[in-house]
Amino acid sequence: MDYTNDLINQLKAAIVAVLTEMGIVVSEKRITLERPKSSDHGDYACNIAMQLARELKQNPREIATQVTTKLTDHKLVKVSEVAGPGFVNIFLSDECHQEVIHNVIKLGPEFGRSNVGQGNRVQVEFVSANPTGPLHVGHGRGAAYGASIANLLDAVGYEVTREYYVNDAGRQMDILTVSTWLRYLELFGHEIQFPAKGYQGDYVRVMAEALKEQAGDRYNPGPGLLNFQKTQSVDEEQILDQLISAAKKHLRSGYQVVHNEVLRQQLGACKAELTSFGVDFDCWFSEQSLFTGGKIETVVNELKQKGHLYVEDGATWFRSTEFGDEKDRVVQRDNGAYTYFASDIAYHVDKFERGFNTVINIWGADHHGYIPRVRAALSALGVYDDSSQLRIPLVQFAVLYRDGEKVAMSTRSGEFVTLKELRDEVGRDAARFFYIYRKSDQHLDFDLNLAKAQNNENPVYYIQYAHARCASILAKSEQNITDISGIDLSGLTQRNEFDLMRALADFPILIESASQELSPHIVAFYLKDLAGLFHSYYNSTQILSGDALLIQSRLLLLRAVKQVIKNGLGLIGVNAPERM
């Protein structure tokens, strides 16, 4: 058990023992301990006296007075006071504060980790962008958030699977395939009327060139076979559908080969970029496998057997309104094709069939309307016992600003800012940090100038500089302390030293809270506060001045601060440099 939780459990047990001595039987579960906003009010505050006042028909301050009188005798407690209407404020002993330093150094990279999750299996599915173009800055936020959530859950003892859902069976992939083929034809001198809603980016031309290099003119139908471009339709979506149909007709079996090659190139580029961004997946799940494995047909038939489907205007509808959705949803069109929603149902059924205790979908905010329909389908199928087994945090859009001006972004036109471009401009660390520095469900204004600034206004620079400063001082001291068990830390008596020790002690509980709330921004805020405490300490204290024992004590404090900063940054995918 980590130091902090052990400490809190001991304090809870002490309060229960005091109450028992007073003739009051209370479970430890009722005891809550919280950090007061100011350390002037103690290290922890407990409201148990106010909870008991109504039950016992006594004044809460009188109950609190009896508790504080007896609690002060406990070995962990320096003094205990009554505050306000009946709070019990607890000031820990100096030795109790100083013990956290030993604990951090002893556990090293394991400090902050726990077994709260008890090995329960959790799947975190994130990014899952259509493989129809380079990842852009909008995808980057989901990647940074999802990776951080997975790291946090892993840190508190869950068995985590990171998954990317590859939409390789839909119309968007057909549009990209046709877009690439048309650019390929241009390379053979054909005059192509490129569709306005085709994929326009330069990456499409690059794929077309790669296709020509690989296959030569194998997919070039030759003169006179491009009459499929002559259409009377003015609807851009109909034009795309006609082009897809024509490409399948002319290429025959070659269409699937071109489709697969385009998919291979896009997935390869996506995987490479995510790896460069520090994000890796355990599983790349193919939507197409749901079709080939018959899983979509199976779940639709099961919904039919349970009486949850009906036919109207030739289409098959799911009665999702009976399960809380705002309207019924189509699962199979009148032409027999299954909808994206049908794929989503089959995919989620498959997730739970794989044995995950909890499934976490990290979706963009524009998918908010999908949540009720997916939950409705899973409820109709009886897939899980508790709806909390499916958690769907939403990630809002990220908007880039440069020199105070908004940077425009589009996808089909090809005029988007890619994740690689962002990474090249501000660096991976700044990108990862800024993406999770605000709550995921809030809009993010990403200030490029601030992210590149090498000053204290830039939070990631501020935190990394604290780590590098600790490393520099430790290197300068030329002291290699290996056995810390016998070192007396009683010289650490300054208020700012106790502030640092309190912050270090909070780290494990903070990690547990951030993991349960799926809120990595909590870690970022904590690290900034810890860095602030350290910089203030550095500016006010001659760390390497004084007697040898005091210097040793302060160096151990710095080692602990350095370790916790490194542990925290690692959880959000940011490096902890030794020099800056």
Side-chain angles (χ1 to χ4, degrees), residues 124 126 145-155 158 160-162 362:
V124 183
F126 60 109
Y145 177 73
S148 298
I149 290 300
N151 291 344
L152 284 166
L153 291 168
D154 177 75
Y158 289 93
V160 181
T161 295
R162 298 156 175 85
I362 296 173

Side-chain angles (χ1 to χ4, degrees), residues 328-340:
D328 292 344
R329 308 290 177 176
V330 176
V331 293
Q332 192 171 20
R333 298 187 181 93
D334 56 2
N335 62 1
Y338 292 114
T339 62
Y340 286 119

Side-chain angles (χ1 to χ4, degrees), residues 137 272-278 417-432 435 446 448:
V137 294
E273 177 52 35
L274 287 168
T275 296
S276 296
F277 196 48
V417 178
T418 66
L419 179 57
K420 182 181 186 304
E421 289 171 332
L422 175 68
R423 192 167 47 80
D424 289 344
E425 180 167 350
V426 305
R428 189 180 98 177
D429 288 343
R432 288 288 298 261
Y435 271 135
F446 195 118
L448 294 168

Side-chain angles (χ1 to χ4, degrees), residues 337-358:
Y338 292 114
T339 62
Y340 286 119
F341 177 46
S343 299
D344 285 338
I345 299 171
Y347 178 45
H348 283 81
V349 170
D350 182 86
K351 290 180 184 221
F352 285 101
E353 285 179 346
R354 281 185 271 159
F356 294 110
N357 303 103
T358 303

Side-chain angles (χ1 to χ4, degrees), residues 154-173:
D154 177 75
V156 297
Y158 289 93
E159 182 184 327
V160 181
T161 295
R162 298 156 175 85
E163 183 155 304
Y164 190 115
Y165 180 49
V166 182
N167 297 111
D168 54 1
R171 183 169 178 268
Q172 295 306 315
M173 275 305 304

Side-chain angles (χ1 to χ4, degrees), residues 69 92 214 221 236 275 354:
T69 301
L92 298 177
Q214 178 193 71
E236 294 294 341
T275 296
R354 281 185 271 159

Side-chain angles (χ1 to χ4, degrees), residues 415-522:
E415 298 173 356
F416 51 78
V417 178
T418 66
L419 179 57
K420 182 181 186 304
E421 289 171 332
L422 175 68
R423 192 167 47 80
D424 289 344
E425 180 167 350
V426 305
R428 189 180 98 177
D429 288 343
R432 288 288 298 261
F433 187 92
F434 273 67
Y435 271 135
I436 61 98
Y437 195 44
R438 186 178 290 273
K439 288 183 67 175
S440 68
D441 60 359
Q442 296 179 354
H443 281 279
L444 172 65
D445 292 338
F446 195 118
D447 188 333
L448 294 168
N449 299 86
L450 180 60
K452 292 185 289 185
Q454 295 190 6
N455 57 45
N456 290 344
E457 296 299 314
N458 180 351
V460 67
Y461 178 88
Y462 187 64
I463 295 164
Q464 288 180 320
Y465 189 43
H467 182 272
R469 243 181 185 172
C470 287
S472 175
I473 296 169
L474 289 166
K476 188 184 298 183
S477 72
E478 298 182 347
Q479 292 192 36
N480 182 20
I481 306 170
T482 55
D483 182 14
I484 64 168
S485 59
I487 294 179
D488 181 7
L489 300 177
S490 60
L492 299 176
T493 57
Q494 294 180 183
R495 175 165 181 161
N496 50 14
E497 290 167 339
F498 281 114
D499 287 341
L500 280 168
M501 289 183 277
R502 287 188 191 94
L504 296 177
D506 284 340
F507 184 66
I509 293 177
L510 177 129
I511 297 306
E512 182 180 331
S513 176
S515 68
Q516 300 307 308
E517 296 176 25
L518 306 182
S519 298
H521 71 278
I522 294 175

Side-chain angles (χ1 to χ4, degrees), residues 199-431:
Y199 284 96
Q200 309 277 348
D202 288 340
Y203 69 95
V204 180
R205 297 180 188 274
V206 171
M207 287 195 297
E209 290 169 357
L211 181 63
K212 180 183 178 184
E213 183 176 346
Q214 178 193 71
D217 64 354
R218 187 182 311 159
Y219 306 115
N220 175 18
L225 292 180
L226 296 179
N227 291 330
F228 61 82
Q229 287 235 273
K230 296 177 181 179
T231 174
Q232 299 301 315
S233 175
V234 293
D235 182 275
E236 294 294 341
E237 296 298 339
Q238 286 183 14
I239 291 174
L240 284 175
D241 288 338
Q242 290 168 2
L243 286 171
I244 292 168
S245 177
K248 289 180 178 179
K249 174 183 176 182
H250 285 288
L251 293 177
R252 298 181 183 178
S253 61
Y255 179 84
Q256 194 61 44
V257 177
V258 176
H259 179 285
N260 291 345
E261 175 58 20
V262 168
L263 175 64
R264 186 192 68 79
Q265 289 192 43
Q266 282 303 303
L267 271 185
C270 176
K271 290 179 181 180
E273 177 52 35
L274 287 168
T275 296
S276 296
F277 196 48
V279 177
D280 292 299
F281 289 87
D282 304 301
C283 178
W284 293 75
F285 189 96
S286 165
E287 179 189 6
Q288 186 62 46
S289 69
L290 298 171
F291 287 89
T292 57
K295 293 188 175 182
I296 299 175
E297 183 179 3
T298 298
V299 296
V300 170
N301 286 338
E302 186 174 348
L303 286 170
K304 182 179 180 180
Q305 290 169 7
K306 290 177 178 290
H308 299 310
L309 300 183
Y310 64 92
V311 177
E312 184 175 294
D313 297 328
T316 303
W317 296 72
F318 166 53
R319 302 180 194 276
S320 53
T321 50
E322 295 183 359
F323 299 90
D325 195 8
E326 62 182 1
K327 63 181 182 180
D328 292 344
R329 308 290 177 176
V330 176
V331 293
Q332 192 171 20
R333 298 187 181 93
D334 56 2
N335 62 1
Y338 292 114
T339 62
Y340 286 119
F341 177 46
S343 299
D344 285 338
I345 299 171
Y347 178 45
H348 283 81
V349 170
D350 182 86
K351 290 180 184 221
F352 285 101
E353 285 179 346
R354 281 185 271 159
F356 294 110
N357 303 103
T358 303
V359 166
I360 299 172
N361 296 340
I362 296 173
W363 288 352
D366 55 334
H367 284 72
H368 180 270
Y370 285 80
I371 298 175
R373 71 187 72 170
V374 170
R375 288 193 178 279
L378 295 182
S379 296
L381 292 166
V383 170
Y384 48 55
D385 300 322
D386 184 347
S387 62
S388 66
Q389 290 175 266
L390 175 63
R391 302 180 66 179
I392 308 179
L394 297 176
V395 177
Q396 283 285 359
F397 301 106
V399 180
L400 298 183
Y401 284 85
R402 182 184 287 110
D403 301 325
E405 298 292 327
K406 184 177 178 180
V407 179
M409 188 181 80
S410 173
T411 52
R412 283 273 184 96
S413 69
E415 298 173 356
F416 51 78
V417 178
T418 66
L419 179 57
K420 182 181 186 304
E421 289 171 332
L422 175 68
R423 192 167 47 80
D424 289 344
E425 180 167 350
V426 305
R428 189 180 98 177
D429 288 343

